Amino acid sequence: MTTAQIDAIAEPARTLGLREVLAFLRRGALLAGLVAAVAGAAAFLTARASDPVYRASVTLVASQPGSSLTGLTVITPSMVDPGVYRSAILEGAIVADAMTRVLGAQPSEQALERFLRRLRVSVENQQISGLIRIEVEQSDPVRAADLANAIAEGLVAWDRERAQRSLARGVDAIERALAEVQAELAAATAPERVAALEAIRAERQAELARATSTSATALFVGLLEPLRTAVPPERAVGPRVVFSTLVAVLLGLVIGYGLLFVRIALDNRVGDADAIAAVTGLPVLAEFARRNRRDNLHSPESTSFLRTNVMLATRGDGPRVLLVTSAHDTGEKDRVAASLAASLARGGSRTLLVDADLRHFPTTRWLELGPDSAAPLEVQLTNPGQSYPPVNVVVGSRRGFDFVPSFTAAPYPVDALNQGLPALLEAWKSQYDVIVLDSTPVLPYADTLAIGPLATGVLLCASARRSSREDLVEASRLLARSQVRQLGVVLTEVPPSRARRAVTAAQAAADARRTLDPYATAVMAAQQETRPRSR
C-alpha cells in the first residue's frame, strides 16, 4: 500500500445493520439486565414503603360579569390572561396564606418549596372565559381538599382585591390632580387664568366626590368564581408501584446500554477485522485467540490460514523473506513469527526463523533456547562471511524449521542490521524457501524501517485487547513511507468465539479459492496440521 493510499483513508461513516444492532443488544444484555434489575427492585421497595398520596382538585372559571346588579354599581378588575392567575398562585403569597389557615402555622420556606413542587395549576384559555384547575397532593385526603379550597378562595379574594385597588388608584390619581390645580391656582395672578383653574378645580372636586361615593357604595366583584369545589378523594393516586417499577426497569435498560455505548465510543482498540480494514486499508490475514500461558505457539488451525494467505499474497516471489513486526510493543506480535515458521515447515517449505529483534529477542525466549544452542544473530551480523549452523526446531513428528536466536541486546541494532543482514539474506536464500524475520516494533524503534525494504512483505501484528487504532495506522503509514510492502494485519488476543468464527469464514473463503485457483489448491492440500512442540 502506498503512502497516498494510507493518508487518504479516513474513518468511514458506517451504517448499522440489523446484525450489528442485535450483536450490540446481546453484548450489553448482562450489564443492562443487571442495572434494570437493581433499579426495578429499588423502585419497587421504595414505592411499597411510601405513604399513600391523595389528590384533590378545584376548578375556577374566569369570565366578565354584568355591569350592574339591583341598582348597585359593580366594579370589576381589568381582564387579564388566565395565565396570570397561575403566576399569582405559584409566585405570590396565596399558597403560604392557605397553608397557614389550614395547618394553623406559617410554613417554613423548605415546606413551602416542597408543597409548590407537588402543586399543579393548569389553565385552559377560551375566547370568552377561561378555566383554572388547582390540584393538591397530600397523604391526608381531607387536608388535600382543604388546601385546594383554601388556595382557590385565596385566588378569588386576590382577584376581588384587584378591583378595589383599581378604584383606590383612581381616587389617588384624582386627589393628586386636584392638589396640582390648587398649587397652580395659588400662584396664578391673571384673572382669566384664575377663572379657568377654578373651573378645573370644581370639576376635579366633583370627580373626587363621585369616586368617594362610589367606593363607599359600589359592589366589588372579581372575575373568578368556583365551578367545582374540592372534596376529600376516596382513592389514592399513588404510589404507583407497578408503573414506577416498570419505568425504573426501562430506565435501567437505557442506562445499561448507554454505559456500554459510552464504553464502545471511548474504546480506542483496533476492534475487529472490518474496523482494521476500514482504518488501514489492509486485509486481516488471520485472527489468533487468546492463548494459554503454557502454549508456546498459536493454534495450528488459525496458523494454517495465515500461511495460506501469506503464500497467496507472495505468489511468484521466491525465496520469500517475511518480516513480522508490530506497532508498539512485542506483546502485539507475541509468538506469531514462531507459529508461522512452524506452519510453513509443516507445509513442506524449507523455513528459517530469525530473531531479528536485537533489543528484546522475544522468539528466543518463547522457544526456550539457551546461549550455548547456536551462534546468535549479532555474531553472524559482524561476521557475514562465516558459516554458522542454526538450531533445528522440531514441529511434532514432521520436519522442523531452522532458527537463528538472539540472546543479548545489541548496542547499535540498526547499524548492525544495515551492515550485516543483506549479506546473510543472500546466503540464506540459497538454502531456504522462506525466511521469517521477527523484528522490533515500528513506532519506538527504527530497526524494522531499516530492514523492511529487504523483505518480500511485512506482516503487521496487533492485539485486539491492547493495540490502539492510532498506533496501528501510524505504523502502517511509516512502513508505506519507507517503501515497505505490507501484506496485511495479524490480529492476536481475539476472544475465542470470534476466533472460531474467523476460522470458519477463512475455511469458506479458502474453499472458494480452491475451486478457482490451482495454486491455492496445491497449498491447501499440504495442510495436515498437528500440534507443534519446540526444543
Side-chain angles (χ1 to χ4, degrees):
M1 229 183 144
T2 64
T3 305
Q5 289 173 322
I6 291 290
D7 293 337
I9 294 175
E11 189 73 23
R14 297 183 60 190
T15 301
L16 292 179
L18 179 60
R19 181 177 179 181
E20 288 80 4
V21 173
L22 292 178
F24 174 79
L25 295 176
R26 194 163 50 246
R27 181 179 176 183
L30 180 60
L31 175 62
L34 180 61
V35 176
V38 173
F44 176 81
L45 295 176
T46 302
R48 287 290 300 271
S50 300
D51 295 331
V53 176
Y54 296 90
R55 180 184 301 162
S57 63
V58 60
T59 304
L60 302 175
V61 59
S63 61
Q64 179 66 47
S67 59
S68 61
L69 183 64
T70 63
L72 296 177
T73 301
V74 177
I75 298 179
T76 60
S78 59
M79 292 287 293
V80 294
D81 185 87
V84 174
Y85 294 112
R86 184 177 187 276
S87 300
I89 294 175
L90 299 179
E91 301 177 9
I94 296 176
V95 174
D97 294 340
M99 294 179 68
T100 301
R101 293 197 304 272
V102 173
L103 303 178
Q106 187 173 359
S108 62
E109 293 185 3
Q110 293 79 5
L112 181 59
E113 291 178 359
R114 288 195 300 269
F115 183 83
L116 289 175
R117 282 196 296 266
R118 303 184 65 177
L119 177 65
R120 299 180 183 180
V121 180
S122 58
V123 175
E124 298 179 11
N125 191 9
Q126 307 294 331
Q127 291 183 347
I128 300 177
S129 61
L131 294 178
I132 298 94
R133 182 173 290 105
I134 304 170
E135 296 180 349
V136 175
E137 293 183 354
Q138 291 285 299
S139 58
D140 185 353
V142 176
R143 180 178 297 177
D146 292 343
L147 286 172
N149 290 326
I151 294 173
E153 293 172 0
L155 184 62
V156 171
W158 175 83
D159 188 55
R160 185 170 56 250
E161 290 173 359
R162 285 200 306 124
Q164 296 175 340
R165 289 192 297 269
S166 176
L167 182 59
R169 287 193 297 270
V171 173
D172 292 340
I174 295 174
E175 290 177 346
R176 286 195 299 272
L178 182 59
E180 292 175 358
V181 172
Q182 291 282 16
E184 190 175 353
L185 183 61
T189 56
E192 297 82 0
R193 180 60 178 168
V194 171
L197 290 174
E198 288 179 348
I200 294 174
R201 182 181 62 181
E203 182 178 352
R204 296 289 182 269
Q205 289 175 342
E207 293 176 353
L208 180 60
R210 287 195 299 272
T212 304
S213 175
T214 300
S215 177
T217 60
L219 180 63
F220 295 96
V221 178
L223 303 180
L224 295 178
E225 58 179 291
L227 182 64
R228 187 186 64 183
T229 58
V231 295
E234 297 180 357
R235 300 179 60 181
V237 296
R240 302 166 65 181
V241 178
V242 176
F243 177 79
S244 300
T245 304
L246 290 177
V247 170
V249 169
L250 292 177
L251 288 178
L253 291 175
V254 172
I255 293 174
Y257 281 109
L259 292 175
L260 177 61
F261 178 80
V262 171
R263 179 185 175 185
I264 294 176
L266 297 179
D267 189 0
N268 196 31
R269 293 178 294 182
V270 293
D272 55 14
D274 294 336
I276 292 176
V279 299
T280 65
L282 298 172
V284 175
L285 302 176
E287 296 185 36
F288 292 148
R290 300 169 190 166
R291 296 174 286 90
N292 190 308
R293 292 183 177 181
R294 294 172 294 180
D295 296 336
N296 284 337
L297 303 178
H298 290 290
S299 70
E301 293 79 10
S302 298
T303 312
S304 66
F305 291 113
L306 173 61
R307 179 188 73 194
T308 302
N309 288 327
V310 170
M311 298 295 279
L312 290 174
T314 58
R315 180 172 47 187
D317 299 325
R320 298 171 175 84
V321 179
L322 305 176
L323 192 150
V324 179
T325 185
S326 59
H328 196 272
D329 58 60
T330 58
E332 295 169 320
K333 60 184 181 69
D334 185 4
R335 310 179 194 184
V336 172
S339 300
L340 177 60
S343 182
L344 289 167
R346 287 193 302 270
S349 299
R350 293 176 300 167
T351 306
L352 174 64
L353 174 62
V354 180
D355 192 347
D357 188 346
L358 299 179
R359 301 174 187 269
H360 311 97
F361 35 92
T363 306
T364 303
R365 291 176 175 174
W366 301 141
L367 296 179
E368 301 177 356
L369 299 176
D372 57 346
S373 58
L377 178 62
E378 183 182 358
V379 173
Q380 300 191 37
L381 290 173
T382 56
N383 301 280
Q386 185 72 29
S387 178
Y388 297 94
V391 180
N392 184 258
V393 179
V394 177
V395 182
S397 60
R398 292 184 166 224
R399 178 180 177 181
F401 60 89
D402 290 340
F403 176 59
V404 177
S406 295
F407 298 110
T408 58
Y412 305 103
V414 178
D415 296 336
L417 291 170
N418 278 331
Q419 295 170 9
L421 188 59
L424 289 176
L425 287 177
E426 290 301 322
W428 289 334
K429 286 180 181 179
S430 63
Q431 306 174 41
Y432 299 99
D433 300 320
V434 183
I435 302 169
V436 180
L437 302 178
D438 185 3
S439 185
T440 57
V442 176
L443 296 183
Y445 310 107
D447 306 26
T448 299
L449 301 179
I451 65 176
L454 302 176
T456 306
V458 173
L459 282 69
L460 186 57
C461 300
S463 168
R465 298 181 64 185
R466 292 175 287 124
S467 301
S468 68
R469 289 190 291 267
E470 286 76 7
D471 288 347
L472 188 63
V473 171
E474 184 61 24
S476 181
R477 286 175 177 167
L478 288 177
L479 292 171
R481 290 168 186 167
S482 299
Q483 303 301 315
V484 176
R485 179 185 178 187
Q486 302 179 64
L487 302 180
V489 178
V490 179
L491 192 58
T492 63
E493 296 188 297
V494 175
S497 58
R498 202 173 87 189
R500 287 193 295 269
R501 291 196 299 269
V503 170
T504 303
Q507 180 67 61
D511 292 340
R513 286 198 301 268
R514 190 164 48 204
T515 60
L516 301 175
D517 194 331
Y519 180 81
T521 302
V523 173
M524 295 299 294
Q527 296 178 355
Q528 297 178 356
E529 302 290 4
T530 58
R531 190 168 187 80
R533 57 186 178 85
S534 60
R535 65 173 177 83

